[in-house]
Amino acid sequence: MSASPAELRLEITPRARFDVIDINQRILEQHGGVLQSFQKAVYFSYHTTAGYLEQALSARLNGGKEGSDALQPYIEVFQTLFPAGASYRHDQMELRDELSLEQKVDEPRNADSHLAYIGSGLRSCVTYKNRPGSPVYFIDLDGEYEGKHRRRLTSVVGYNADRNVATRTLEIPVSGHPIDSINLKDPKFGLYQSIQELVTEHGVARGRIDVALGQNERQAGLTVNEYETLLMKHDLIEVLRDPVRFMKEKGRHMLSDPRAIPNRTIEYAKFDLVTVLNRLIDVLGMNESLVEKVLARLMALPADRFLRMKRGVSLLVSSENGESGGSVVQGQYQSPILVQWEKAAGQSRTLELRLTEFS
C-alpha cells in the first residue's frame, strides 16, 4: 500500500536581501529522508517576494547541473529592470493611507522585489518530480530590510499520484481599460467560494487548484502577489506600458536630469537594454542570432513577451490533519491577480478551475 501524502512546514531566515536556499537540503537536515520515497512534491511559499521557479526553468538555467550559481544572473536581469530606489508609488509611504504612522516607519520599500518576482516568473506554488538528493531552490528577493532579517515559511507536500476530480468555469468581469489588474481574491468574483465548494464537495484534504485563463483569452496573465493599490494600479501598470520604464529612470548612463536630454533618453535606455538582454540570453542559453530580432521589437514589445507572465497559477489545498476536507493555503498578503494589457472582448475573461487530489 502506498504511503499517504506527507506535509512539512519549514521556517527560513534568509542571509541577505537576495538569497537562494536549497529547501531539499533543509528538509534532509531537519527531517531526514521523510520525503525521499515520494514520486512528486509540491513546494509552497507564503510570501509575495520569495518563491520558486518551475522545475523545467530551474533545470534549464542550471544546464542540468546542481548548484544555484546560474540562478543569480537570471534574477539579476529582472533586478536591473526593476532597480531598488526608483520612483515606485508603492514605496512612497506618504501615499499609503492603509498604513498607520507606526507601520509606515517599518514598512519595507520593496516594490522592486514585487515586480522582479512577477517579471521573472517566480511562483508561490510549484510541482516537482521528486528527485532525492537534487536541490530545489527557494529564492528570496527581499529577505532583509534595514538590518532585520525576515522570517520566511514554506510548506512541502510529498505524494505519489494525483487525479483530476473536478473542473469549473468562471466568468470574471473586467474593466474597459486596456491595461489593468484585478484582485481575484475579492469576494465579488466568487473565485474562492467556487474553489471551496469544489474542495468540500469532493472531500479533498490535500491537493492543488489550478487556475488558468480560458483557451481563447489573449493579452492577459495571472500571478500571485500582494494586491496593494499603488503597486498594482500604478507601478505594475507603468511596467505594462513600458517594461524598461524604471530601468531608464535609474540607468547608469542617465544624467541627473534626463529632461535636459530628452532626445537621448531612449538611446540610453536601448544601450542598457542590450546589456540586460545579452545577460538574459546567456543565462537562458538562447541562440545569439535572436538578439537583433529581440532588440528590434523590444521597445514596442507587449509585457507577455518580455515578462514571464503566466497563463495560470496553482494554489495549494491542505488541512491540518489530512483527515477532513481541506481549504486553500495562503499567505497573509497573497492574492491571485489577473493582469491584462489589452481590452477583453465583452469586458469579461474566462477562468478555468481544475481540482487535483493527491494520494
Side-chain angles (χ1 to χ4, degrees):
M1 185 175 180
S2 61
S4 299
E7 182 173 350
L8 302 173
R9 180 181 290 195
L10 290 83
E11 182 174 329
I12 306 162
T13 302
R15 295 162 295 187
R17 188 174 194 231
F18 173 71
D19 201 3
V20 179
I21 300 159
D22 182 358
I23 293 300
N24 276 358
Q25 182 60 35
R26 294 291 181 93
I27 292 173
L28 194 60
E29 293 169 356
Q30 297 178 25
H31 301 280
V34 65
L35 294 182
Q36 292 188 359
S37 63
F38 292 102
Q39 298 297 311
K40 300 179 181 180
V42 167
Y43 296 83
F44 177 79
S45 166
Y46 292 78
H47 309 285
T48 55
T49 56
Y52 297 91
L53 292 173
E54 292 176 312
Q55 189 170 25
L57 177 57
S58 183
R60 182 180 178 186
L61 291 173
N62 281 292
K65 301 177 182 179
E66 296 180 7
S68 62
D69 290 347
L71 300 183
Q72 183 167 345
Y74 171 76
I75 296 297
E76 283 179 348
V77 169
F78 297 93
Q79 291 174 324
T80 300
L81 277 172
F82 312 119
S87 59
Y88 306 108
R89 297 285 289 276
H90 172 79
D91 293 350
Q92 298 176 37
M93 294 302 153
E94 67 276 12
L95 303 178
R96 299 282 297 275
D97 294 336
E98 83 282 9
L99 299 176
S100 67
L101 292 177
E102 292 78 12
Q103 290 173 323
K104 289 180 181 181
V105 173
D106 296 326
E107 181 72 10
R109 289 167 171 79
N110 60 359
D112 59 304
S113 296
H114 288 285
L115 295 174
Y117 179 103
I118 295 169
S120 65
L122 281 172
R123 300 169 72 90
S124 61
C125 184
V126 295
T127 300
Y128 274 51
K129 291 181 180 179
N130 195 23
R131 295 169 179 162
S134 295
V136 174
Y137 294 111
F138 180 89
I139 300 173
D140 201 325
L141 305 179
D142 194 44
E144 179 268 336
Y145 180 68
E146 294 187 344
K148 297 179 181 178
H149 293 264
R150 303 294 193 92
R151 174 179 175 265
R152 299 301 202 183
L153 295 174
T154 190
S155 287
V156 183
V157 180
Y159 66 98
N160 287 311
D162 50 41
R163 67 184 185 96
N164 181 17
V165 298
T167 59
R168 182 175 291 189
T169 299
L170 284 181
E171 288 293 324
I172 303 296
V174 297
S175 75
H177 299 295
I179 300 178
D180 204 2
S181 63
I182 297 96
N183 181 11
L184 296 177
K185 200 173 184 178
D186 190 322
K188 70 182 181 183
F189 297 119
L191 174 63
Y192 276 72
Q193 178 182 344
S194 294
I195 291 173
Q196 193 57 53
E197 288 173 356
L198 289 176
V199 170
T200 300
E201 178 183 350
H202 296 276
V204 174
R206 286 199 175 97
R208 184 183 67 239
I209 281 279
D210 297 314
V211 182
L213 289 165
Q215 184 176 359
N216 296 324
E217 297 295 348
R218 297 290 183 269
Q219 308 303 325
L222 296 172
T223 188
V224 173
N225 212 267
E226 176 187 11
Y227 197 89
E228 191 277 316
T229 303
L230 295 176
L231 179 68
M232 289 297 155
K233 292 294 188 180
H234 293 277
D235 298 326
L236 182 59
I237 298 304
E238 289 291 336
V239 170
L240 293 172
R241 288 177 176 146
D242 179 4
V244 298
R245 178 250 191 273
F246 293 110
M247 185 185 73
K248 285 188 290 187
E249 175 189 323
K250 296 289 288 185
R252 62 184 177 185
H253 299 288
M254 298 297 289
L255 299 181
S256 58
D257 183 6
R259 292 171 297 180
I261 48 167
N263 294 331
R264 299 293 296 172
T265 299
I266 196 66
E267 282 73 18
Y268 289 134
K270 287 180 179 178
F271 186 89
D272 282 345
L273 200 53
V274 172
T275 302
V276 171
L277 280 176
N278 283 338
R279 290 165 62 191
L280 185 58
I281 287 163
D282 286 342
V283 299
L284 288 177
M286 293 171 62
N287 191 311
E288 286 188 18
S289 65
L290 296 177
V291 177
E292 289 188 3
K293 293 180 181 179
V294 173
L295 285 174
R297 297 178 58 195
L298 188 61
M299 300 317 292
L301 205 61
D304 63 330
R305 302 296 184 185
F306 190 64
L307 307 181
R308 297 188 64 86
M309 194 75 69
K310 301 295 182 179
R311 290 183 56 82
V313 295
S314 297
L315 307 174
L316 179 64
V317 173
S318 185
S319 63
E320 291 295 328
N321 53 27
E323 296 177 356
S324 59
S327 59
V328 172
V329 178
Q330 54 191 318
Q332 181 179 359
Y333 300 107
Q334 286 180 331
S335 294
I337 298 167
L338 191 159
V339 181
Q340 68 177 30
W341 43 92
E342 192 170 289
K343 287 184 179 180
Q347 288 190 212
S348 70
R349 291 195 180 270
T350 301
L351 294 182
E352 297 176 352
L353 313 184
R354 183 179 63 197
L355 174 62
T356 298
E357 183 176 36
F358 300 155
S359 61

